[in-house]
Amino acid sequence: QGNASASETYPIHLGRGVRLTASACFAGRSGAPVFAIDQDTTSVSVSIESIGADRSGRSAGASDGIYVGSTAAGASPTLTGYAVIRGVSVGVRIDGGTVNGNFTITDVRDTGILCRSDTRPTAASSYRGSVTVSRAATNDVFAGTNCTLSGSYHLGENTGTCSMPKLNNFGIYAESNASVTANVYTYCMNSDGVSLRNNPALAINSPTVTINSGRFQRSGCAGIYAEVGRITINGTTFDHNHWGVIQRSANSSTDPLMSLVNLTGTTSGGSISRNTFACNNQSEPGACCTASSCPTGYNIWNNSGLRLDATNNYWEDSPVSVC
């Protein structure tokens, strides 16, 4: 009960089928993960009241709330469970392995969920389930090399009024060969709700994202931004962002398969699941609207020579006045 001992050796390594249920606060120590699931292929289950801060909310400066990964060839540790994580640099770091969870992550100095295979680049990393992230300085969720994300993501402040300056930067940031299939809700992002970005240091820059439902509100740049890869969006509302959706590329093609963004609102089964665009032409405060520069916003901005199919959607103007 209460606060775990500050003299504990961190990280606490969990393995070999451990099930940990604790109504206690594990603050950890500066520069180290609080928990590590890193012993070969193992399955761990947790339910923990607080990771990264003591009961009064004081952070100990831990690097990761939970680290999942292994240096052993072929290893794929698995974590299942629930925890509140706060006051760390990275909430959950998945570095080769699988997390099935329902985590609440707040006040992180860097990223809420960081899913990327670094130690063994050929290993698969995945997060399945739901997560709520708020007040993440860099990314609420980062999907990188060999990462697969699925589930439901509630990201941002969601308090009715955004803090100024905004306390969340990117909702989901995807690069490399990451694959994301999810319901996504973002609110009060300083930059983008979902961002597919080119990383010149990587050999592969082709993330794929499918959003089956969600809502993007109050993004300081775009609800969706894509400059690489492919993103398909169905049944999602975009309102009060600086831009609803941006497709940006130096390439030109009439081939629909070359498009980065698919906004047809057509599901894989062929049924129509319309997106809604409204009030995205305002000067929403954030990274793209500052005192020195605040360009006009739009529902959709096709900043490329590629096709952008946005049929089957609901619009605030009919016919569409600006595209």
Side-chain angles (χ1 to χ4, degrees):
Q1 302 292 320
N3 295 318
S5 171
S7 62
E8 175 68 64
T9 299
Y10 292 99
I12 299 172
H13 297 273
L14 304 178
R16 302 185 182 277
V18 164
R19 297 177 62 190
L20 173 61
T21 300
S23 56
C25 300
F26 295 83
R29 66 174 175 83
S30 179
V34 181
F35 290 99
I37 294 89
D38 58 353
Q39 297 178 355
D40 303 325
T41 298
T42 189
S43 179
V44 172
S45 174
V46 301
S47 178
I48 304 173
E49 178 182 329
S50 179
I51 298 174
D54 64 19
R55 183 148 286 177
S56 68
R58 288 184 298 238
S59 168
S63 58
D64 306 333
I66 302 175
Y67 172 89
V68 179
S70 176
T71 59
S76 184
T78 299
L79 168 67
T80 301
Y82 166 82
V84 174
I85 303 173
R86 52 185 175 161
V88 297
S89 290
V90 174
V92 177
R93 186 187 300 268
I94 311 167
D95 182 18
T98 299
V99 176
N100 303 297
N102 177 11
F103 290 92
T104 299
I105 303 171
T106 63
D107 298 298
V108 289
R109 299 184 297 276
D110 193 329
T111 298
I113 300 284
L114 198 162
C115 178
R116 182 178 64 201
S117 300
D118 291 327
T119 302
R120 292 184 296 120
T122 59
S125 300
S126 67
Y127 186 95
R128 303 167 187 157
S130 62
V131 67
T132 299
V133 182
S134 62
R135 299 189 295 275
T138 304
N139 310 292
D140 285 20
V141 176
F142 181 95
T145 301
N146 286 345
C147 172
T148 300
L149 300 178
S150 60
S152 183
Y153 295 79
H154 294 259
L155 312 174
E157 293 186 69
N158 200 23
T159 56
T161 302
C162 301
S163 298
M164 291 298 163
K166 292 178 176 174
L167 303 177
N168 296 264
N169 194 24
F170 289 95
I172 297 178
Y173 190 106
E175 65 174 29
S176 185
N177 62 347
S179 175
V180 180
T181 302
N183 304 323
V184 181
Y185 302 83
T186 72
Y187 194 75
C188 295
M189 295 298 150
N190 190 54
S191 294
D192 305 324
V194 172
S195 206
L196 283 66
R197 299 271 176 166
N198 179 64
N199 184 341
L202 299 175
I204 299 175
N205 277 289
S206 187
T208 58
V209 176
T210 300
I211 298 175
N212 293 317
S213 67
R215 189 172 186 178
F216 293 82
Q217 294 180 283
R218 303 291 180 188
S219 297
C221 290
I224 302 290
Y225 175 95
E227 64 183 25
V228 294
R230 177 81 167 177
I231 183 166
T232 300
I233 306 155
N234 302 312
T236 298
T237 297
F238 297 85
D239 61 292
H240 298 93
N241 306 284
H242 193 90
W243 293 285
V245 175
I246 297 176
Q247 174 176 268
R248 177 166 289 161
S249 175
N251 297 327
S252 296
S253 176
T254 59
D255 184 352
L257 296 179
M258 294 295 291
S259 298
L260 308 178
V261 177
N262 177 3
L263 283 172
T264 61
T266 305
T267 67
S268 58
S271 61
I272 300 300
S273 181
R274 302 177 191 273
N275 301 299
T276 300
F277 295 88
C279 303
N280 293 299
N281 56 356
Q282 300 182 5
S283 299
E284 178 63 26
C288 290
C289 182
T290 65
S292 60
S293 175
C294 190
T296 303
Y298 304 106
N299 282 319
I300 295 177
W301 181 15
N302 186 9
N303 187 212
S304 75
L306 304 174
R307 290 187 56 175
L308 201 167
D309 191 342
T311 54
N312 303 319
N313 294 305
Y314 295 115
W315 303 86
E316 60 184 323
D317 300 321
S318 182
V320 178
S321 58
V322 177
C323 183

